[in-house]
Amino acid sequence: MPLVRNSYGKGRVRVMRVHRDGDYNEVRELTVHTMLEGDFAAAYTEADNRQVIATDTIKNMSYVIAREAMTDSAEQYGERLARGFLERYAQVERATVTMHETKWLRASFGGRPHPHGFVLDNNGRCYARVEATREAVSVTSGITGYTFMKSTGSGWENFVRDEYTTLPDTSDRIAATAMDATWRWSRVPADCPATNAAILGTMLEVFATTYSHSVQDSLWRMGEAALAACPALEEVRLACPNKHYLPVNLAPFGLSSDNMVFIPTDEPYGQIECIVGRS
């Protein structure tokens, strides 16, 4: 039986990098997953490990490159790490580095930012993925689990109705999601964190300030706005599970909910996804 494809690497390598400028510090914390492809088939088919780089070595390189190149952005760190494997090991043909960032926000006291005090930002995790060969590098940025909502300005009407349909039409509902969004670059900007924040801000503004006929409607317009705002983007992928808020029936108590009292639930949930790209 032939070995069709193989890859291996090291997952959940957690690293914190502190950049110190006197009393003023910057911090970046990443969880790194590195996978290698190349001339490793003999380890599978012939029990021959002579070409195999130990996964412990992969972990150690992640730390060394963090010392050298983790102060600017996850994207730049990932590219440096991926290229490091290609430059050092001839048997590596492709290196893919996926990173999730734990975001620390600078604390402020008395209206003044503290030089080395931080609080954890729990809303979503920044995401970056670098896939590198000797011929090309592809970089993707984004965010996972980013949660937001609007309490009105959303509806769901005129959908398919048959004998299995029980959901009523509504022109006024809560819309909420924990979004996974990624965007692929045609060219990586000099300041990835600032550009990523601007892209996310653009999409959230579209969501919050315009009426949504459906999650599908909002996602399409959010992707369009991101591409219009950033010419360096090639495509935007959006995946949004519904976080439902169901109106409570207060009629048994002689009351009307008046669209004010809801039961939060996220199971089961609708899953809405799309890719918006340049033609």
Side-chain angles (χ1 to χ4, degrees):
M1 295 291 182
L3 179 67
V4 176
R5 184 173 178 178
N6 70 87
S7 62
Y8 81 102
K10 198 73 164 183
R12 291 193 63 80
V13 177
R14 298 181 63 187
V15 56
M16 165 73 82
R17 174 65 159 88
V18 180
H19 175 70
R20 305 184 188 279
D21 184 8
D23 192 43
Y24 187 85
N25 292 178
E26 296 280 0
V27 298
R28 172 159 283 115
E29 180 179 346
L30 298 177
T31 300
V32 185
H33 188 100
T34 301
M35 295 297 289
L36 304 180
E37 298 176 59
D39 185 14
F40 305 116
Y44 294 84
T45 62
E46 301 173 30
D48 182 351
N49 295 330
R50 287 177 293 175
Q51 290 284 77
V52 179
I53 306 150
T55 64
D56 191 66
T57 301
I58 297 173
K59 175 201 69 178
N60 291 338
M61 279 193 64
S62 302
Y63 295 146
V64 170
I65 300 301
R67 174 67 175 82
E68 300 173 354
M70 208 171 107
T71 58
D72 294 324
S73 70
E75 289 84 353
Q76 289 167 315
Y77 165 79
E79 183 172 349
R80 180 73 176 273
L81 181 57
R83 288 188 182 277
F85 287 108
L86 293 166
E87 293 167 358
R88 188 175 184 86
Y89 303 104
Q91 66 270 41
V92 176
E93 298 171 3
R94 182 186 305 272
T96 302
V97 182
T98 304
M99 295 146 288
H100 284 89
E101 183 166 359
T102 299
K103 195 70 174 176
W104 292 95
L105 304 177
R106 189 171 301 282
S108 294
F109 305 101
R112 299 177 61 185
H114 193 272
H116 52 260
F118 301 88
V119 294
L120 183 64
D121 180 357
N122 283 311
N123 194 5
R125 301 183 74 193
C126 296
Y127 168 95
R129 177 183 172 93
V130 177
E131 186 172 345
T133 66
R134 288 177 176 80
E135 291 74 37
V137 176
S138 175
V139 180
T140 302
S141 304
I143 194 164
T144 61
Y146 193 75
T147 304
F148 51 91
M149 65 167 282
K150 57 183 176 181
S151 56
T152 189
S154 175
W156 177 237
E157 301 176 280
N158 303 317
F159 48 89
V160 172
R161 291 202 166 277
D162 57 25
E163 65 272 29
Y164 300 113
T165 305
T166 60
L167 192 69
D169 282 8
T170 179
S171 60
D172 187 6
R173 66 172 183 170
I174 295 175
T177 187
M179 179 178 73
D180 290 347
T182 60
W183 39 90
R184 182 165 54 86
W185 304 101
S186 58
R187 60 184 184 279
V188 180
D191 189 341
C192 269
T195 308
N196 288 336
I199 291 167
L200 185 59
T202 296
M203 292 194 293
L204 288 178
E205 183 176 359
V206 169
F207 173 82
T209 63
T210 63
Y211 183 81
S212 173
H213 294 275
S214 63
V215 177
Q216 291 90 331
D217 168 51
S218 283
L219 291 194
W220 166 255
R221 292 184 291 105
M222 289 162 67
E224 275 196 317
L227 291 169
C230 185
L233 288 186
E234 195 67 32
E235 70 174 23
V236 177
R237 294 174 177 250
L238 302 170
C240 287
N242 278 328
K243 298 176 73 69
H244 294 295
Y245 291 83
L246 307 179
V248 176
N249 179 16
L250 295 179
F253 313 105
L255 299 171
S256 171
S257 171
D258 292 326
N259 209 26
M260 294 189 296
V261 182
F262 303 86
I263 300 173
T265 179
D266 55 10
E267 294 180 358
Y269 60 83
Q271 179 74 14
I272 318 300
E273 301 183 5
C274 72
I275 302 172
V276 184
R278 300 191 187 281
S279 58

